Amino acid sequence: MNAACSEPGRDCPLCPRLAGYRETLRLQHPDWHNAPVSDFGDGNACLAIVGLAPGVAGANRTGRPFTGDHAGAMLYAMLEKLGRSHGQYAAHADDRLTLDGVFITNAVRCVPPHNKPDVSEIHGCRPFLINTLKSLANLRAVLALGAIAHQSSVKALGGKLPKMPFSHGAVHRLHTGVTLIDSYHCSRLNTNTGRLTEAMFEAVLATALEIAYSPPLR
Ligand code: SF4
């Protein structure tokens, strides 16, 4: 499969290490998704949320971004609280949940061992992130969850990293008119250590929605 395509194929070979891990997981868990995880959400969204990569027993198992693990429970609960979802999140891809004005994707579409993609894998998957962001005709804001999502989003949006360091709550205006907002990732590690609280996450998500849906400046 060619990275110029808008979606990677199920057996995308561009990252050999991740393809090998995928094969191992297919043998261990034949009933899991174990393939690149596609985007999810409202194609007319003004806000895209960019995560790191599928969690091994989360999106890699269920086939939908952030679905089936701790990070997803926090993210989808917050989207519901802020009135951006319809239906009941039930931690699987067939729960008929829909999002309103929000689109969710990942910087890397295949699960990496220990949640750690290497630089070549982040780079290799970026064309798919670029295509995803380009496909959102109404895009006005991107909420990046974590430093890797931030870095890949800056590059995907044509920004310059040295001028836009990652910092929780930071707001970066890109020359394209899209605004990038940073948040710590809503991972179990970050929430268990108190690095990211529910209140912090709600505040940063609310800010991102406000920026995405505020009237354009004249
Ligand atoms: S991470 Fe992206 S580029 Fe790499 S194998 Fe998976 S889909 Fe392909």
Side-chain angles (χ1 to χ4, degrees), residues 8-9 12-16 18-19 22 36 108-110 121 124-126 128:
C12 179
L14 294 176
C15 305
L18 302 191
R22 227 169 37 208
V108 174
R109 292 181 187 234
C110 294
E121 292 155 359
C125 213
R126 190 168 304 122
F128 297 117

Side-chain angles (χ1 to χ4, degrees), residues 2-208:
N2 188 315
C5 298
S6 58
E7 282 294 324
R10 180 171 169 77
D11 297 314
C12 179
L14 294 176
C15 305
R17 186 181 74 117
L18 302 191
Y21 187 43
R22 227 169 37 208
E23 288 305 318
T24 300
L25 288 167
R26 285 176 184 174
L27 290 172
Q28 291 174 348
H29 304 284
D31 53 331
W32 287 12
H33 176 71
N34 295 323
V37 175
S38 297
D39 311 314
F40 173 59
D42 179 355
N44 293 315
C46 295
L47 175 66
I49 298 174
V50 180
L52 167 61
V56 63
N60 174 69
R61 175 174 60 85
T62 63
R64 191 174 72 183
F66 284 87
T67 298
D69 59 12
H70 171 86
M74 187 161 175
L75 176 60
Y76 288 114
M78 206 54 78
L79 288 171
E80 181 182 10
K81 187 173 183 182
L82 295 173
R84 290 293 169 176
S85 65
H86 301 291
Q88 190 70 41
Y89 171 71
H92 58 81
D94 300 324
D95 58 12
R96 305 176 80 178
L97 184 80
T98 59
L99 302 183
D100 182 8
V102 175
F103 200 78
I104 301 178
T105 188
N106 276 311
V108 174
R109 292 181 187 234
C110 294
V111 57
H114 311 296
N115 286 330
K116 286 189 178 146
D118 66 28
V119 173
S120 68
E121 292 155 359
I122 298 164
H123 178 80
C125 213
R126 190 168 304 122
F128 297 117
L129 176 62
I130 291 171
N131 285 339
T132 289
L133 297 179
K134 276 188 182 162
S135 75
L136 297 171
N138 299 325
L139 185 69
R140 294 186 64 202
V142 171
L143 176 64
L145 302 183
I148 290 176
H150 162 88
Q151 290 161 11
S152 213
S153 296
V154 169
K155 290 184 178 175
L157 292 166
K160 301 273 185 236
L161 268 179
K163 293 183 178 171
M164 298 181 177
F166 173 81
S167 172
H168 179 82
V171 174
H172 312 276
R173 313 252 177 220
L174 288 117
H175 65 281
T176 54
V178 174
T179 300
L180 178 67
I181 303 102
D182 295 340
S183 172
Y184 292 131
H185 194 285
C186 48
S187 64
R188 188 183 295 279
L189 179 67
N190 283 341
T191 57
N192 280 358
T193 57
R195 190 178 208 204
L196 181 70
T197 64
E198 275 194 29
M200 287 166 69
F201 194 51
E202 180 175 354
V204 78
L205 187 49
T207 297

